[in-house]
Amino acid sequence: LPSLPCEQGWLAASLHLYQGFWLGPRHLNGVLACQRHFRAQDTDILLVTTPKSGTTWLKAILFTLLNRTKYSGSGSQLQHPLLSQNPHDLVPFLELNLYIEQDVPHLASLPPPRLFATHLAYQSLPQSVRDSKCKLVYLCRNPKDTCVSLWHFTNKLRPKDKCENSLQEALDRFCRGVSLFGPYWDHVLGYHKVSSETPEKVLFLKYEDMKEDPRANLKRLAGFLECPFSEDELRDGTVDDILRLCSFDSLSGLEVNKSGKLASGEENKVFFRRGEVGDWVNYLSVDMAERIDRVVEEKLLGSGLRL
Ligand code: A3P
């Protein structure tokens, strides 16, 4: 397992290349365990992202969409779990949450549809995910916003004895493909290809499209997951209720997300910063932006994908 020398910054110093992708410190055991032990079921739904592409948002949306009859409507007395739990505690990552202990978790008896998340590249998914009929929802985000968001996030999570990484360092690494679960473009292209070839297997979404037309994208998501909205639901505000509950303002304003912590220890508030499209302009110089654009354009050449 090649790893990077220490002068590259605190996080990069502990990244390891595995199957062509950079894993963070402590990720390898979880990745190996879930590759070995996870058995996908045909009814499973897997949410896939590179870090900082809107995972938290999509977790909230998918959870609310799939449980919409349970927690909404006049007949329901149940308080919605998102009001008291962070989306990451409701939709666990396979490799970061479920398979980190020695014991193999008992997931077989969970009621369908089981909803899990992962940052794994397509070729690193457990074999059964690729072989089964389970569905994957992939969300990607503009690389400049992803890079800036990742820079903020890794600095917030840095151990107290480590100094901050500069944005220039973070950008250099990102452009060399050295980012958590990156190279970013290989991750995105892997899922984009499968989605083009087998659209019933992978739904390929963009953060920017979700922001621009959340209603249309939520309906698309429901159709893909074979739980389309009924005519009544389209009329009675169900779609808008889901979007409102899962919006940045709503989630980031909840007490649990202002002061709570995840079961895994991170503060919930680190997953909410600006939640906007194009915030990179506030951080990247023209040169920096052009550099990412050049690299990404070159890597995506011929794929038909624009980010
Ligand atoms: P910014 O750092 O640009 O604000 P992830 O969930 O994959 O870790 O990504 C985090 C990014 O998504 C952060 O971006 C965060 O603010 C944004 N985000 C979190 N919740 C969101 C929501 N409900 N709607 C839109 N963006 C959200």
Side-chain angles (χ1 to χ4, degrees):
L1 275 183
S3 55
L4 290 170
C6 285
E7 58 272 21
Q8 306 265 357
W10 77 266
L11 180 65
S14 43
L15 292 182
H16 295 282
L17 194 60
Y18 174 68
Q19 297 185 332
F21 290 85
W22 292 97
L23 300 182
R26 302 191 305 274
H27 292 168
L28 184 63
N29 285 346
V31 171
L32 292 173
C34 91
Q35 285 183 331
R36 189 169 308 140
H37 299 295
F38 180 67
R39 296 286 169 267
Q41 299 175 359
D42 288 344
T43 48
D44 286 347
I45 297 164
L46 219 59
L47 178 173
V48 193
T49 55
T50 51
K52 314 328 286 175
S53 299
T55 323
T56 315
W57 187 21
L58 190 59
K59 281 187 176 186
I61 287 185
L62 280 175
F63 179 88
T64 309
L65 173 69
L66 295 170
N67 291 290
R68 66 190 191 265
T69 52
K70 198 162 162 190
Y71 299 111
S72 72
S74 49
S76 174
Q77 302 296 316
L78 294 172
Q79 192 199 48
H80 200 287
L82 272 179
L83 299 177
S84 56
Q85 283 170 272
N86 180 279
H88 291 285
D89 277 336
L90 295 172
V91 183
F93 284 107
L94 290 175
E95 72 283 4
L96 307 182
N97 304 126
L98 293 172
Y99 284 90
I100 48 172
E101 304 294 340
Q102 292 289 328
D103 298 334
V104 177
H106 296 290
L107 306 174
S109 56
L110 292 177
R114 305 184 305 175
L115 177 57
F116 304 114
T118 182
H119 286 319
L120 286 175
Y122 187 75
Q123 57 266 48
S124 295
L125 289 173
Q127 187 62 38
S128 63
V129 173
R130 287 174 283 163
D131 291 346
S132 72
K133 291 201 176 101
C134 77
K135 286 179 179 279
L136 312 184
V137 179
Y138 187 77
L139 178 66
C140 68
R141 187 181 190 190
N142 172 281
K144 297 191 282 299
D145 278 334
T146 305
C147 178
V148 167
S149 183
L150 188 59
W151 171 64
H152 281 287
F153 183 73
T154 49
N155 276 337
K156 276 185 210 155
L157 288 191
R158 77 184 195 282
K160 286 201 171 52
D161 60 334
K162 307 283 180 190
C163 51
E164 288 203 358
N165 288 336
S166 71
L167 181 55
Q168 186 65 53
E169 260 182 274
L171 180 112
D172 285 347
R173 279 198 305 277
F174 191 88
C175 289
R176 282 187 288 115
V178 185
S179 59
L180 274 179
F181 295 92
Y184 162 90
W185 43 84
D186 286 342
H187 202 282
V188 177
L189 284 171
Y191 285 96
H192 183 253
K193 182 166 184 286
V194 185
S195 165
S196 309
E197 290 166 0
T198 46
E200 68 287 357
K201 179 76 177 171
V202 178
L203 177 67
F204 191 91
L205 296 172
K206 294 181 186 169
Y207 182 94
E208 294 72 25
D209 294 344
M210 301 253 304
K211 277 280 192 183
E212 192 177 305
D213 195 344
R215 231 175 173 266
N217 280 288
L218 181 53
K219 285 197 269 179
R220 224 179 127 202
L221 197 49
F224 172 74
L225 296 177
E226 294 167 23
C227 58
F229 292 105
S230 66
E231 287 301 319
D232 279 351
E233 285 177 317
L234 290 173
R235 268 194 306 268
D236 71 7
T238 301
V239 178
D240 295 325
D241 286 349
I242 295 174
L243 292 171
R244 201 173 311 112
L245 176 64
C246 300
S247 70
F248 181 86
D249 287 347
S250 151
L251 293 183
S252 61
L254 290 169
E255 199 48 49
V256 61
N257 294 323
K258 289 199 280 190
S259 57
K261 282 190 173 184
L262 291 187
S264 50
E266 295 91 350
E267 288 186 294
N268 288 341
K269 64 179 180 220
V270 299
F271 296 97
F272 305 94
R273 194 182 61 87
R274 292 288 297 276
E276 284 172 11
V277 171
D279 184 46
W280 62 265
V281 291
N282 298 313
Y283 295 92
L284 301 182
S285 66
V286 172
D287 282 356
M288 289 166 132
E290 281 179 0
R291 182 156 166 227
I292 296 200
D293 284 345
R294 256 196 322 275
V295 173
V296 174
E297 200 181 309
E298 184 190 306
K299 300 291 181 185
L300 299 192
L301 202 68
S303 67
L305 176 64
R306 289 187 70 84
L307 293 166

